[in-house]
Amino acid sequence: MKTIFWAGDSTVQYNDITTYPQTGIGQVFHLFVKPEVRISNHAKNGRSTKSFIDESRLPVIYDQITEGDFLFIQFGHNDEKKADPVRYTEPFSEFKINLGKFVSVARNKKAFPVLITPLERRCFTDDGVLGAGEHGDYVKAMKQTADELAVPLIDLYSMSRDELEKAGTEKSKEWYMHLPKGKYPSHPEGLIDNTHLKYEGAVRYAGCIAKGLRELGGRYSELLLEEAVE
């Protein structure tokens, strides 16, 4: 039985009732894979590559991952927080070095690493145009790392921007944590959050990753349900 291990942040993590209706991509990814494929989601809210490693979360994956498994690595949102030395990494130095550490964990156990560029925020301008966002250098750095280490890469950043541009400013609110006042006990005052996802958004972007796996082919597309491959 193959296992997909996830390392990432709040856009990937598993949520419970205390954060409902927030939903992570890794939380719903089982919808796209064959029933014999297990998901082991180690993503955690607020983590960057640096804080994930510093909190000894990566050794936990190392102890559990085995030959033939997969490690999906999706970071960027929190690495870019310059005001927070606990999480910030410079994109073309420490960020790339840290990504290499994740890759090494997988390869040292004869597992298969996959780099996934960070999900775009819902960053529309006042005139309804999708803005530049803040992930640019981290996307470039991750692509450089993928090339230098010969690691498969899924460009969720570009795919999510395409999805946002097609949906537009109003429709895309259904995917992110735009919550009316008084509807959800976890957020009684309501919420406008353009980073974290509701179920609809998590499923949509998980579908983008499934598409990326299909395009990689071979062992990666073989993880998917037949209907998810078509």
Side-chain angles (χ1 to χ4, degrees), residues 133-146:
E134 299 174 345
H135 300 326
D137 282 345
Y138 292 86
V139 173
K140 292 176 185 176
M142 186 177 282
K143 289 180 177 180
Q144 288 179 8
T145 304

Side-chain angles (χ1 to χ4, degrees), residues 9-16 18-24 27 45 177 179 184 186-187 191 193 195-199 202:
D9 53 35
S10 57
T11 62
V12 180
Q13 77 165 6
Y14 186 90
N15 292 267
D16 57 28
T18 62
T19 51
Y20 180 81
Q22 184 176 325
T23 309
Q27 186 175 345
N45 181 56
M177 289 280 282
L179 309 179
Y184 297 98
S186 59
H187 301 87
L191 188 67
D193 179 345
T195 297
H196 300 102
L197 303 172
K198 296 200 292 280
Y199 182 83

Side-chain angles (χ1 to χ4, degrees), residues 14 34 37 44 59 72 84 92 112 133 141 175 178 183-184 193 201 204 206 215 220-221 225 229:
Y14 186 90
K34 294 174 180 175
V37 177
K44 191 68 175 176
F72 289 5
D84 186 354
F92 297 104
F112 303 105
W175 306 345
H178 280 241
K183 185 172 182 179
Y184 297 98
D193 179 345
R204 180 165 295 271
E215 292 171 351
Y220 306 99
S221 63
L225 291 167
V229 174

Side-chain angles (χ1 to χ4, degrees), residues 18 33 57 66 75 79 88 98 105 108 113-114 117 150 172 183 188 208 210 221:
T18 62
V33 300
R57 296 179 182 276
T66 61
F75 286 99
D79 285 84
Y88 175 70
N98 288 348
V105 159
N108 287 344
V114 178
T117 56
S172 61
K183 185 172 182 179
C208 291
S221 63

Side-chain angles (χ1 to χ4, degrees), residues 155-179:
D155 193 1
L156 179 61
Y157 171 77
S158 295
M159 288 190 283
S160 60
R161 285 186 64 85
D162 287 345
E163 292 293 326
L164 285 163
E165 287 179 331
K166 286 188 290 187
T169 181
E170 291 303 315
K171 177 68 176 177
S172 61
K173 289 178 181 178
E174 299 175 9
W175 306 345
Y176 291 77
M177 289 280 282
H178 280 241
L179 309 179

